[in-house]
Amino acid sequence: MRNTFINSLCELARAHDDIFLMCGDLGYSVLEPFAEQFPERFLNAGIAEQNMTEMAVGLAREGYNVFTYSIGNFPTLRCMEQIRYDVCYHDANVKIIAVGGGYAYGALGVSHHTTEDIAMLRSIPNMLVTAPADPHEARSIAKYLVSHRGPAYVRLNKAGEPMIHRGEVDVQPGRLITVREGAGVAVLTTGAVLDGAIRQIDEAGRPWAVYSCPMLSAFDTETMCSLARRFDCIVTMEEHQLAGGFGSAVLECLSDLRAQGRIASMPIVRRVGIPNKFIGYAGTQEYLRMKAGVDLGRILENA
Amino acid sequence: MDSIELARSVRLTALDLCHSKRASHIGGAYSVADILAVLYADVLNISPLTVDNPERDRVFYSKGHACTALYAVLNACGYLKGYDLLKEFTVNGSYFTSHVNHQIPGVELSTGSLGHALGVACGTALALKRKGNAGSVFTIVSDGELDEGSNWESLLAGAHHALDNMILIIDYNKIQSFGSVEEVLALEPLADKLRAFRWQVTEVDGHNHDELRKTLAESSLARNGLPKAIIAHTVKGKGVSFMEGQLAWHYKSPNDADYTRARAELEA
């Protein structure tokens, strides 16, 4: 999905002459086509993410739609205050692209495990957090962001994700994409864990509904009310710490709807994610997901 | 208003603000007052009517804590039509926060967290170059804020991308929050460091208007492939004898007696 996103950006940059791509000295063999076609709208900022993010704000102030690109924690947590104060407070037209969400760089160690980013970024006003599940969602998000004015974050996995949707999807902030209708349990996922969730549900032969949430933002409350009425149990799944992530966002929304009297009762919410721990040993993404418990195993046993 | 009168006006307004609202940082406002006065009186191609003009010079005021000086100069130069600075400063609901706020006309960037503006200035300078825009990009930083590593990333970037439309002005008053700069985290040899980072460095007396005017104008015009750094040697609290060189005036707000004495000195 990384290549799909960058290639989409490259195509879009032909028609949108305000797109500017910066990287933090990463993106070898991925960013070259953009750099070659649009040298005046490309900059390798060096391994200096604070300055990269600040420069992005400077460029955005002069009319560019700036995308910064690096691995996981580097264009995000490393320069969190630049994101909060320079990008978000000024509502600057800056998009942050992180490749390697979750354990995509599993064997590279904790430095490269991107497992707290959603919680941190979604708490900042004006920031739109996005996490595609497959290349179709990645392309749809790229298209959305070229005309979205203001800050956004794109949490990409890496490579090799299967196509799940049949084509591009209508991504909107807070909108759930229906992957399949079902009954009893609704599984809500964000990012690349969707594929694993579907496989596990299929193997277990459950008739569960599945939704993907590529743009975390204020949820569409009508949809959430409808889910709460139709399902007794909602499962959330993310490759991210449980504290403050996607599952937390779903819980917050449902709790608010209950407090406002818009739903008569709260469905049971079972959250799947990383239970507040680092994994210091090496492993493939699949292995580390399994060790962290980022799968539906226990949910399937108990439901 | 000439730059000397403007500087006096800035100091008087800053005194009023710090006294009436019990605000801090008058020392840093006074060390930078002459720099701002010369910039706004004689150097910048901006006016209250051109704050959004793409051809304007940009000023990024990184030492946002010394907000009273910037608000005062904008007020004296007519940028704050419809505002009552003395009345509104820091009151509930006012955008005159005590770290500068871009919601105020003429303020390009909100600052207050140190070490952010120089990088934004780099991005702006790069954008102006790529768009063929002749504007200059001025950034005013404090000395203590050069402790922040982000500035040194930006210094690398400014030189690497040959951003010769950038002028960095360092208000080098030698005192930071908890002590002298040399005691807390030494910057010397500062000029050599900046030259080693491939910036063109000029050292000036930051209270001598003729020197400031000449250096700022020359730096703004010289498009020679090098970003410019002006080390302005200044005195914290400059202009009021009992504040000069005193760490306490990083924090203290003038009481009634201080106010009367300071006002008398400034008006003399």
Side-chain angles (χ1 to χ4, degrees), chain A residues 1-33:
Chain A
M1 69 169 63
R2 172 191 55 186
N3 290 2
T4 302
F5 188 89
I6 295 299
N7 292 340
S8 302
L9 202 60
C10 217
E11 288 161 25
L12 292 160
R14 289 189 198 114
H16 296 82
D17 62 6
D18 60 341
I19 294 176
F20 196 111
L21 178 62
M22 302 179 81
C23 75
D25 202 34
L26 287 167
Y28 181 77
S29 82
V30 179
L31 302 186
E32 288 84 349

PDB file of all heavy atoms in Angstrom, chain A residues 1-33:
ATOM      1  N   MET A   1       0.824  -1.208   0.000  1.00  0.00           N
ATOM      2  CA  MET A   1       0.000   0.000   0.000  1.00  0.00           C
ATOM      3  C   MET A   1       0.862   1.264   0.000  1.00  0.00           C
ATOM      4  O   MET A   1       0.437   2.302  -0.440  1.00  0.00           O
ATOM      5  CB  MET A   1      -0.963   0.008   1.195  1.00  0.00           C
ATOM      6  CG  MET A   1      -0.306   0.183   2.531  1.00  0.00           C
ATOM      7  SD  MET A   1      -1.493   0.506   3.861  1.00  0.00           S
ATOM      8  CE  MET A   1      -2.479  -0.992   3.907  1.00  0.00           C
ATOM      9  N   ARG A   2       2.114   1.102   0.460  1.00  0.00           N
ATOM     10  CA  ARG A   2       3.003   2.254   0.426  1.00  0.00           C
ATOM     11  C   ARG A   2       3.214   2.713  -1.025  1.00  0.00           C
ATOM     12  O   ARG A   2       3.054   3.894  -1.348  1.00  0.00           O
ATOM     13  CB  ARG A   2       4.345   1.875   1.054  1.00  0.00           C
ATOM     14  CG  ARG A   2       5.413   2.938   0.890  1.00  0.00           C
ATOM     15  CD  ARG A   2       6.775   2.411   1.288  1.00  0.00           C
ATOM     16  NE  ARG A   2       7.105   1.199   0.550  1.00  0.00           N
ATOM     17  CZ  ARG A   2       8.182   0.452   0.783  1.00  0.00           C
ATOM     18  NH1 ARG A   2       9.000   0.761   1.747  1.00  0.00           N
ATOM     19  NH2 ARG A   2       8.423  -0.629   0.071  1.00  0.00           N
ATOM     20  N   ASN A   3       3.537   1.751  -1.877  1.00  0.00           N
ATOM     21  CA  ASN A   3       3.773   2.118  -3.273  1.00  0.00           C
ATOM     22  C   ASN A   3       2.512   2.658  -3.928  1.00  0.00           C
ATOM     23  O   ASN A   3       2.568   3.602  -4.719  1.00  0.00           O
ATOM     24  CB  ASN A   3       4.295   0.905  -4.049  1.00  0.00           C
ATOM     25  CG  ASN A   3       5.713   0.545  -3.630  1.00  0.00           C
ATOM     26  OD1 ASN A   3       6.267   1.181  -2.734  1.00  0.00           O
ATOM     27  ND2 ASN A   3       6.286  -0.456  -4.269  1.00  0.00           N
ATOM     28  N   THR A   4       1.372   2.049  -3.586  1.00  0.00           N
ATOM     29  CA  THR A   4       0.109   2.534  -4.149  1.00  0.00           C
ATOM     30  C   THR A   4      -0.131   3.983  -3.751  1.00  0.00           C
ATOM     31  O   THR A   4      -0.515   4.819  -4.576  1.00  0.00           O
ATOM     32  CB  THR A   4      -1.071   1.671  -3.659  1.00  0.00           C
ATOM     33  OG1 THR A   4      -0.817   0.332  -4.034  1.00  0.00           O
ATOM     34  CG2 THR A   4      -2.384   2.144  -4.258  1.00  0.00           C
ATOM     35  N   PHE A   5       0.114   4.274  -2.479  1.00  0.00           N
ATOM     36  CA  PHE A   5      -0.128   5.639  -2.006  1.00  0.00           C
ATOM     37  C   PHE A   5       0.798   6.626  -2.715  1.00  0.00           C
ATOM     38  O   PHE A   5       0.355   7.662  -3.224  1.00  0.00           O
ATOM     39  CB  PHE A   5       0.055   5.728  -0.485  1.00  0.00           C
ATOM     40  CG  PHE A   5      -0.355   7.057   0.067  1.00  0.00           C
ATOM     41  CD1 PHE A   5      -1.667   7.279   0.477  1.00  0.00           C
ATOM     42  CD2 PHE A   5       0.543   8.120   0.147  1.00  0.00           C
ATOM     43  CE1 PHE A   5      -2.066   8.527   0.955  1.00  0.00           C
ATOM     44  CE2 PHE A   5       0.154   9.357   0.633  1.00  0.00           C
ATOM     45  CZ  PHE A   5      -1.154   9.552   1.032  1.00  0.00           C
ATOM     46  N   ILE A   6       2.079   6.300  -2.749  1.00  0.00           N
ATOM     47  CA  ILE A   6       3.045   7.231  -3.354  1.00  0.00           C
ATOM     48  C   ILE A   6       2.806   7.352  -4.860  1.00  0.00           C
ATOM     49  O   ILE A   6       2.866   8.455  -5.434  1.00  0.00           O
ATOM     50  CB  ILE A   6       4.487   6.774  -3.062  1.00  0.00           C
ATOM     51  CG1 ILE A   6       4.754   6.846  -1.556  1.00  0.00           C
ATOM     52  CG2 ILE A   6       5.503   7.616  -3.833  1.00  0.00           C
ATOM     53  CD1 ILE A   6       4.626   8.234  -0.943  1.00  0.00           C
ATOM     54  N   ASN A   7       2.502   6.220  -5.515  1.00  0.00           N
ATOM     55  CA  ASN A   7       2.223   6.296  -6.956  1.00  0.00           C
ATOM     56  C   ASN A   7       0.966   7.119  -7.226  1.00  0.00           C
ATOM     57  O   ASN A   7       0.901   7.874  -8.203  1.00  0.00           O
ATOM     58  CB  ASN A   7       2.085   4.886  -7.554  1.00  0.00           C
ATOM     59  CG  ASN A   7       3.411   4.146  -7.536  1.00  0.00           C
ATOM     60  OD1 ASN A   7       4.471   4.765  -7.431  1.00  0.00           O
ATOM     61  ND2 ASN A   7       3.359   2.820  -7.611  1.00  0.00           N
ATOM     62  N   SER A   8      -0.025   6.981  -6.354  1.00  0.00           N
ATOM     63  CA  SER A   8      -1.241   7.790  -6.497  1.00  0.00           C
ATOM     64  C   SER A   8      -0.902   9.273  -6.356  1.00  0.00           C
ATOM     65  O   SER A   8      -1.369  10.112  -7.120  1.00  0.00           O
ATOM     66  CB  SER A   8      -2.276   7.412  -5.442  1.00  0.00           C
ATOM     67  OG  SER A   8      -2.609   6.057  -5.539  1.00  0.00           O
ATOM     68  N   LEU A   9      -0.061   9.560  -5.379  1.00  0.00           N
ATOM     69  CA  LEU A   9       0.325  10.959  -5.142  1.00  0.00           C
ATOM     70  C   LEU A   9       1.051  11.507  -6.372  1.00  0.00           C
ATOM     71  O   LEU A   9       0.844  12.658  -6.786  1.00  0.00           O
ATOM     72  CB  LEU A   9       1.233  11.014  -3.915  1.00  0.00           C
ATOM     73  CG  LEU A   9       1.331  12.336  -3.179  1.00  0.00           C
ATOM     74  CD1 LEU A   9      -0.032  12.785  -2.667  1.00  0.00           C
ATOM     75  CD2 LEU A   9       2.312  12.217  -2.016  1.00  0.00           C
ATOM     76  N   CYS A  10       1.863  10.666  -6.948  1.00  0.00           N
ATOM     77  CA  CYS A  10       2.621  11.036  -8.139  1.00  0.00           C
ATOM     78  C   CYS A  10       1.671  11.360  -9.302  1.00  0.00           C
ATOM     79  O   CYS A  10       1.831  12.377  -9.981  1.00  0.00           O
ATOM     80  CB  CYS A  10       3.498   9.851  -8.502  1.00  0.00           C
ATOM     81  SG  CYS A  10       5.090  10.296  -9.121  1.00  0.00           S
ATOM     82  N   GLU A  11       0.680  10.500  -9.483  1.00  0.00           N
ATOM     83  CA  GLU A  11      -0.302  10.758 -10.552  1.00  0.00           C
ATOM     84  C   GLU A  11      -1.078  12.045 -10.268  1.00  0.00           C
ATOM     85  O   GLU A  11      -1.284  12.866 -11.161  1.00  0.00           O
ATOM     86  CB  GLU A  11      -1.301   9.592 -10.650  1.00  0.00           C
ATOM     87  CG  GLU A  11      -0.723   8.318 -11.228  1.00  0.00           C
ATOM     88  CD  GLU A  11      -1.590   7.096 -10.886  1.00  0.00           C
ATOM     89  OE1 GLU A  11      -2.805   7.268 -10.635  1.00  0.00           O
ATOM     90  OE2 GLU A  11      -1.022   5.986 -10.850  1.00  0.00           O
ATOM     91  N   LEU A  12      -1.489  12.195  -9.018  1.00  0.00           N
ATOM     92  CA  LEU A  12      -2.295  13.355  -8.650  1.00  0.00           C
ATOM     93  C   LEU A  12      -1.492  14.652  -8.783  1.00  0.00           C
ATOM     94  O   LEU A  12      -2.056  15.711  -9.082  1.00  0.00           O
ATOM     95  CB  LEU A  12      -2.816  13.196  -7.218  1.00  0.00           C
ATOM     96  CG  LEU A  12      -3.848  12.082  -7.040  1.00  0.00           C
ATOM     97  CD1 LEU A  12      -3.950  11.642  -5.587  1.00  0.00           C
ATOM     98  CD2 LEU A  12      -5.216  12.544  -7.546  1.00  0.00           C
ATOM     99  N   ALA A  13      -0.178  14.554  -8.585  1.00  0.00           N
ATOM    100  CA  ALA A  13       0.663  15.760  -8.629  1.00  0.00           C
ATOM    101  C   ALA A  13       0.703  16.372 -10.030  1.00  0.00           C
ATOM    102  O   ALA A  13       1.016  17.546 -10.190  1.00  0.00           O
ATOM    103  CB  ALA A  13       2.073  15.430  -8.156  1.00  0.00           C
ATOM    104  N   ARG A  14       0.374  15.584 -11.039  1.00  0.00           N
ATOM    105  CA  ARG A  14       0.344  16.143 -12.405  1.00  0.00           C
ATOM    106  C   ARG A  14      -0.766  17.175 -12.529  1.00  0.00           C
ATOM    107  O   ARG A  14      -0.579  18.217 -13.140  1.00  0.00           O
ATOM    108  CB  ARG A  14       0.137  15.022 -13.432  1.00  0.00           C
ATOM    109  CG  ARG A  14       1.364  14.157 -13.562  1.00  0.00           C
ATOM    110  CD  ARG A  14       1.286  13.161 -14.714  1.00  0.00           C
ATOM    111  NE  ARG A  14       2.299  12.130 -14.456  1.00  0.00           N
ATOM    112  CZ  ARG A  14       2.047  10.861 -14.195  1.00  0.00           C
ATOM    113  NH1 ARG A  14       0.819  10.402 -14.206  1.00  0.00           N
ATOM    114  NH2 ARG A  14       3.029  10.027 -13.937  1.00  0.00           N
ATOM    115  N   ALA A  15      -1.915  16.855 -11.963  1.00  0.00           N
ATOM    116  CA  ALA A  15      -3.058  17.769 -12.073  1.00  0.00           C
ATOM    117  C   ALA A  15      -3.102  18.778 -10.934  1.00  0.00           C
ATOM    118  O   ALA A  15      -3.693  19.845 -11.068  1.00  0.00           O
ATOM    119  CB  ALA A  15      -4.355  16.962 -12.103  1.00  0.00           C
ATOM    120  N   HIS A  16      -2.483  18.439  -9.818  1.00  0.00           N
ATOM    121  CA  HIS A  16      -2.510  19.332  -8.645  1.00  0.00           C
ATOM    122  C   HIS A  16      -1.110  19.886  -8.439  1.00  0.00           C
ATOM    123  O   HIS A  16      -0.264  19.238  -7.818  1.00  0.00           O
ATOM    124  CB  HIS A  16      -2.975  18.576  -7.396  1.00  0.00           C
ATOM    125  CG  HIS A  16      -4.386  18.079  -7.476  1.00  0.00           C
ATOM    126  ND1 HIS A  16      -4.720  16.918  -8.121  1.00  0.00           N
ATOM    127  CD2 HIS A  16      -5.551  18.601  -7.022  1.00  0.00           C
ATOM    128  CE1 HIS A  16      -6.033  16.733  -8.047  1.00  0.00           C
ATOM    129  NE2 HIS A  16      -6.562  17.752  -7.390  1.00  0.00           N
ATOM    130  N   ASP A  17      -0.883  21.095  -8.956  1.00  0.00           N
ATOM    131  CA  ASP A  17       0.494  21.597  -8.926  1.00  0.00           C
ATOM    132  C   ASP A  17       0.882  22.199  -7.587  1.00  0.00           C
ATOM    133  O   ASP A  17       1.941  22.812  -7.463  1.00  0.00           O
ATOM    134  CB  ASP A  17       0.745  22.584 -10.074  1.00  0.00           C
ATOM    135  CG  ASP A  17      -0.140  23.811  -9.962  1.00  0.00           C
ATOM    136  OD1 ASP A  17      -0.850  23.944  -8.944  1.00  0.00           O
ATOM    137  OD2 ASP A  17      -0.127  24.628 -10.891  1.00  0.00           O
ATOM    138  N   ASP A  18       0.032  22.007  -6.578  1.00  0.00           N
ATOM    139  CA  ASP A  18       0.413  22.475  -5.241  1.00  0.00           C
ATOM    140  C   ASP A  18       0.981  21.349  -4.373  1.00  0.00           C
ATOM    141  O   ASP A  18       1.462  21.600  -3.275  1.00  0.00           O
ATOM    142  CB  ASP A  18      -0.786  23.129  -4.531  1.00  0.00           C
ATOM    143  CG  ASP A  18      -1.964  22.179  -4.350  1.00  0.00           C
ATOM    144  OD1 ASP A  18      -2.032  21.152  -5.060  1.00  0.00           O
ATOM    145  OD2 ASP A  18      -2.819  22.461  -3.489  1.00  0.00           O
ATOM    146  N   ILE A  19       0.945  20.112  -4.869  1.00  0.00           N
ATOM    147  CA  ILE A  19       1.439  19.000  -4.046  1.00  0.00           C
ATOM    148  C   ILE A  19       2.959  19.059  -3.937  1.00  0.00           C
ATOM    149  O   ILE A  19       3.663  19.175  -4.934  1.00  0.00           O
ATOM    150  CB  ILE A  19       1.004  17.644  -4.640  1.00  0.00           C
ATOM    151  CG1 ILE A  19      -0.519  17.509  -4.568  1.00  0.00           C
ATOM    152  CG2 ILE A  19       1.685  16.483  -3.914  1.00  0.00           C
ATOM    153  CD1 ILE A  19      -1.046  16.238  -5.216  1.00  0.00           C
ATOM    154  N   PHE A  20       3.444  18.999  -2.712  1.00  0.00           N
ATOM    155  CA  PHE A  20       4.890  19.062  -2.431  1.00  0.00           C
ATOM    156  C   PHE A  20       5.213  17.881  -1.526  1.00  0.00           C
ATOM    157  O   PHE A  20       4.523  17.639  -0.536  1.00  0.00           O
ATOM    158  CB  PHE A  20       5.211  20.389  -1.721  1.00  0.00           C
ATOM    159  CG  PHE A  20       6.677  20.757  -1.717  1.00  0.00           C
ATOM    160  CD1 PHE A  20       7.131  21.835  -2.458  1.00  0.00           C
ATOM    161  CD2 PHE A  20       7.597  20.037  -0.952  1.00  0.00           C
ATOM    162  CE1 PHE A  20       8.489  22.198  -2.449  1.00  0.00           C
ATOM    163  CE2 PHE A  20       8.947  20.381  -0.948  1.00  0.00           C
ATOM    164  CZ  PHE A  20       9.393  21.471  -1.694  1.00  0.00           C
ATOM    165  N   LEU A  21       6.240  17.133  -1.867  1.00  0.00           N
ATOM    166  CA  LEU A  21       6.607  15.951  -1.078  1.00  0.00           C
ATOM    167  C   LEU A  21       7.971  16.154  -0.426  1.00  0.00           C
ATOM    168  O   LEU A  21       8.943  16.476  -1.104  1.00  0.00           O
ATOM    169  CB  LEU A  21       6.623  14.704  -1.977  1.00  0.00           C
ATOM    170  CG  LEU A  21       7.034  13.387  -1.327  1.00  0.00           C
ATOM    171  CD1 LEU A  21       6.075  12.980  -0.205  1.00  0.00           C
ATOM    172  CD2 LEU A  21       7.091  12.265  -2.379  1.00  0.00           C
ATOM    173  N   MET A  22       8.011  15.964   0.902  1.00  0.00           N
ATOM    174  CA  MET A  22       9.274  16.017   1.637  1.00  0.00           C
ATOM    175  C   MET A  22       9.521  14.649   2.254  1.00  0.00           C
ATOM    176  O   MET A  22       8.576  13.961   2.630  1.00  0.00           O
ATOM    177  CB  MET A  22       9.203  17.032   2.790  1.00  0.00           C
ATOM    178  CG  MET A  22       8.864  18.427   2.395  1.00  0.00           C
ATOM    179  SD  MET A  22       8.777  19.506   3.857  1.00  0.00           S
ATOM    180  CE  MET A  22      10.526  19.847   4.102  1.00  0.00           C
ATOM    181  N   CYS A  23      10.786  14.291   2.392  1.00  0.00           N
ATOM    182  CA  CYS A  23      11.067  13.051   3.108  1.00  0.00           C
ATOM    183  C   CYS A  23      12.208  13.272   4.074  1.00  0.00           C
ATOM    184  O   CYS A  23      13.024  14.179   3.910  1.00  0.00           O
ATOM    185  CB  CYS A  23      11.380  11.904   2.160  1.00  0.00           C
ATOM    186  SG  CYS A  23      13.014  11.990   1.424  1.00  0.00           S
ATOM    187  N   GLY A  24      12.235  12.446   5.093  1.00  0.00           N
ATOM    188  CA  GLY A  24      13.290  12.514   6.100  1.00  0.00           C
ATOM    189  C   GLY A  24      14.391  11.519   5.774  1.00  0.00           C
ATOM    190  O   GLY A  24      14.732  10.684   6.588  1.00  0.00           O
ATOM    191  N   ASP A  25      14.917  11.624   4.570  1.00  0.00           N
ATOM    192  CA  ASP A  25      15.998  10.762   4.091  1.00  0.00           C
ATOM    193  C   ASP A  25      15.613   9.289   4.095  1.00  0.00           C
ATOM    194  O   ASP A  25      16.458   8.427   4.296  1.00  0.00           O
ATOM    195  CB  ASP A  25      17.288  10.989   4.904  1.00  0.00           C
ATOM    196  CG  ASP A  25      18.532  10.551   4.138  1.00  0.00           C
ATOM    197  OD1 ASP A  25      18.534  10.702   2.897  1.00  0.00           O
ATOM    198  OD2 ASP A  25      19.479  10.049   4.759  1.00  0.00           O
ATOM    199  N   LEU A  26      14.341   9.015   3.899  1.00  0.00           N
ATOM    200  CA  LEU A  26      13.873   7.636   3.758  1.00  0.00           C
ATOM    201  C   LEU A  26      12.944   7.596   2.550  1.00  0.00           C
ATOM    202  O   LEU A  26      12.415   8.616   2.141  1.00  0.00           O
ATOM    203  CB  LEU A  26      13.130   7.188   5.023  1.00  0.00           C
ATOM    204  CG  LEU A  26      14.040   6.920   6.223  1.00  0.00           C
ATOM    205  CD1 LEU A  26      13.230   6.801   7.501  1.00  0.00           C
ATOM    206  CD2 LEU A  26      14.864   5.654   5.998  1.00  0.00           C
ATOM    207  N   GLY A  27      12.799   6.401   2.001  1.00  0.00           N
ATOM    208  CA  GLY A  27      11.950   6.263   0.827  1.00  0.00           C
ATOM    209  C   GLY A  27      12.721   5.828  -0.407  1.00  0.00           C
ATOM    210  O   GLY A  27      12.241   5.921  -1.536  1.00  0.00           O
ATOM    211  N   TYR A  28      13.944   5.306  -0.166  1.00  0.00           N
ATOM    212  CA  TYR A  28      14.773   4.795  -1.259  1.00  0.00           C
ATOM    213  C   TYR A  28      13.994   3.743  -2.042  1.00  0.00           C
ATOM    214  O   TYR A  28      13.391   2.855  -1.462  1.00  0.00           O
ATOM    215  CB  TYR A  28      16.055   4.182  -0.663  1.00  0.00           C
ATOM    216  CG  TYR A  28      17.023   3.630  -1.667  1.00  0.00           C
ATOM    217  CD1 TYR A  28      17.845   4.471  -2.412  1.00  0.00           C
ATOM    218  CD2 TYR A  28      17.122   2.257  -1.859  1.00  0.00           C
ATOM    219  CE1 TYR A  28      18.741   3.960  -3.331  1.00  0.00           C
ATOM    220  CE2 TYR A  28      18.018   1.731  -2.777  1.00  0.00           C
ATOM    221  CZ  TYR A  28      18.832   2.580  -3.517  1.00  0.00           C
ATOM    222  OH  TYR A  28      19.708   2.067  -4.422  1.00  0.00           O
ATOM    223  N   SER A  29      13.996   3.888  -3.354  1.00  0.00           N
ATOM    224  CA  SER A  29      13.309   2.981  -4.297  1.00  0.00           C
ATOM    225  C   SER A  29      11.792   3.163  -4.274  1.00  0.00           C
ATOM    226  O   SER A  29      11.074   2.401  -4.903  1.00  0.00           O
ATOM    227  CB  SER A  29      13.676   1.503  -4.067  1.00  0.00           C
ATOM    228  OG  SER A  29      12.902   0.958  -3.019  1.00  0.00           O
ATOM    229  N   VAL A  30      11.301   4.147  -3.551  1.00  0.00           N
ATOM    230  CA  VAL A  30       9.853   4.409  -3.522  1.00  0.00           C
ATOM    231  C   VAL A  30       9.550   5.822  -4.038  1.00  0.00           C
ATOM    232  O   VAL A  30       8.634   6.024  -4.838  1.00  0.00           O
ATOM    233  CB  VAL A  30       9.294   4.271  -2.084  1.00  0.00           C
ATOM    234  CG1 VAL A  30       7.793   4.566  -2.059  1.00  0.00           C
ATOM    235  CG2 VAL A  30       9.576   2.874  -1.548  1.00  0.00           C
ATOM    236  N   LEU A  31      10.344   6.782  -3.581  1.00  0.00           N
ATOM    237  CA  LEU A  31      10.029   8.192  -3.864  1.00  0.00           C
ATOM    238  C   LEU A  31      10.677   8.718  -5.142  1.00  0.00           C
ATOM    239  O   LEU A  31      10.346   9.816  -5.598  1.00  0.00           O
ATOM    240  CB  LEU A  31      10.471   9.072  -2.685  1.00  0.00           C
ATOM    241  CG  LEU A  31       9.863   8.744  -1.317  1.00  0.00           C
ATOM    242  CD1 LEU A  31      10.295   9.790  -0.294  1.00  0.00           C
ATOM    243  CD2 LEU A  31       8.349   8.663  -1.375  1.00  0.00           C
ATOM    244  N   GLU A  32      11.582   7.951  -5.735  1.00  0.00           N
ATOM    245  CA  GLU A  32      12.319   8.461  -6.887  1.00  0.00           C
ATOM    246  C   GLU A  32      11.434   8.941  -8.029  1.00  0.00           C
ATOM    247  O   GLU A  32      11.718   9.993  -8.629  1.00  0.00           O
ATOM    248  CB  GLU A  32      13.322   7.411  -7.405  1.00  0.00           C
ATOM    249  CG  GLU A  32      14.524   7.197  -6.500  1.00  0.00           C
ATOM    250  CD  GLU A  32      14.257   6.219  -5.371  1.00  0.00           C
ATOM    251  OE1 GLU A  32      13.084   5.860  -5.157  1.00  0.00           O
ATOM    252  OE2 GLU A  32      15.228   5.837  -4.689  1.00  0.00           O
ATOM    253  N   PRO A  33      10.364   8.204  -8.376  1.00  0.00           N
ATOM    254  CA  PRO A  33       9.533   8.695  -9.490  1.00  0.00           C
ATOM    255  C   PRO A  33       8.975  10.096  -9.234  1.00  0.00           C
ATOM    256  O   PRO A  33       8.963  10.931 -10.141  1.00  0.00           O
ATOM    257  CB  PRO A  33       8.400   7.661  -9.578  1.00  0.00           C
ATOM    258  CG  PRO A  33       8.983   6.428  -8.984  1.00  0.00           C
ATOM    259  CD  PRO A  33       9.914   6.896  -7.902  1.00  0.00           C
TER     260      PRO A  33
END
